[in-house]
Amino acid sequence: MTPEKLAELAKEAMTHAYVPYSGYQVGAALLCADGTVYQGCNIENAAYGPTNCAERTAFFKAVYDGHRDFVSIAVCGGKGGHITGAFPPCGVCRQVMREFCGDDFLIYMIDEKGYETYTLAQILPYSFSPQKHMGM
Ligand code: THU
C-alpha cells in the first residue's frame, strides 16, 4: 500500500461524511500492519458534542475488528468536496492514535497537490501514553 493509494482511499471516504451542520467533509484511511485498510468519515450530531471525527471512525472500526497494530493514516478535509490545505487531525484524534500507535506512526495530511508526512511524535509531543503512564 503506497501513501498515494492510501490518500485516494481517504478522498473516497470523504464522500461518506454526514455533515449537515458544518458542511465540512473529512475522510481518513488507516493502514493496519497486516495490510488491511479501514476508511472513516466524520459523523455529526444535532447536539454537536457527540460528533465523531473521521480518524476515530476509522480507528474504532479497526479496533472493533480486532486490529491493534497500525502503520499510517491518510486524512483529508474540506467543504463542498474540495480539499482545502493539508488536513491536521484534531487533538482528540491524536490522543486516540497514541492509544494504539507509537512515535513512528505516520500521518499523511493530504492537500490540493499531494500530501505532507508527519510522525505521531511530531504532532503529539510529550504525550500521555498507555506505556509510560498507565503501565500497559
Ligand atoms: N473533524 C474531523 O473529522 N477530524 C478532525 O480531526 C477534526 C475535525 C470534523 C468534525 C466536524 O464534523 C468537522 O470536521 C468540523 O469540525
Side-chain angles (χ1 to χ4, degrees):
M1 174 57 62
T2 63
E4 287 76 15
K5 277 187 191 164
L6 204 61
E8 283 310 311
L9 290 169
K11 288 179 194 172
E12 196 280 325
M14 215 177 143
T15 68
H16 296 241
Y18 173 73
V19 289
Y21 307 105
S22 74
Y24 197 96
Q25 296 170 291
V26 184
L30 173 65
L31 178 62
C32 304
D34 71 355
T36 312
V37 174
Y38 282 84
Q39 291 169 287
C41 64
N42 51 336
I43 302 168
E44 297 188 341
N45 189 280
Y48 287 27
T51 291
N52 208 57
C53 290
E55 302 91 316
R56 281 179 286 141
T57 301
F59 265 94
F60 296 159
K61 283 169 67 181
V63 171
Y64 178 87
D65 281 349
H67 294 275
R68 296 287 188 278
D69 298 324
F70 303 102
V71 177
S72 58
I73 191 168
V75 288
C76 58
K79 284 198 168 188
H82 302 293
I83 290 169
T84 43
F87 185 86
C90 78
V92 171
C93 288
R94 293 176 195 204
Q95 189 63 40
V96 168
M97 291 173 194
R98 193 63 191 83
E99 185 65 26
F100 299 102
C101 309
D103 284 346
D104 55 353
F105 179 71
L106 293 175
I107 298 97
Y108 302 115
M109 299 186 195
I110 301 164
D111 59 27
E112 298 90 332
K113 292 180 183 163
Y115 59 88
E116 297 173 8
T117 309
Y118 299 91
T119 63
L120 186 55
Q122 284 177 305
I123 68 165
L124 191 68
Y126 310 108
S127 64
F128 188 85
S129 84
Q131 296 79 17
K132 266 189 267 178
H133 304 101
M134 299 302 289
M136 297 281 284

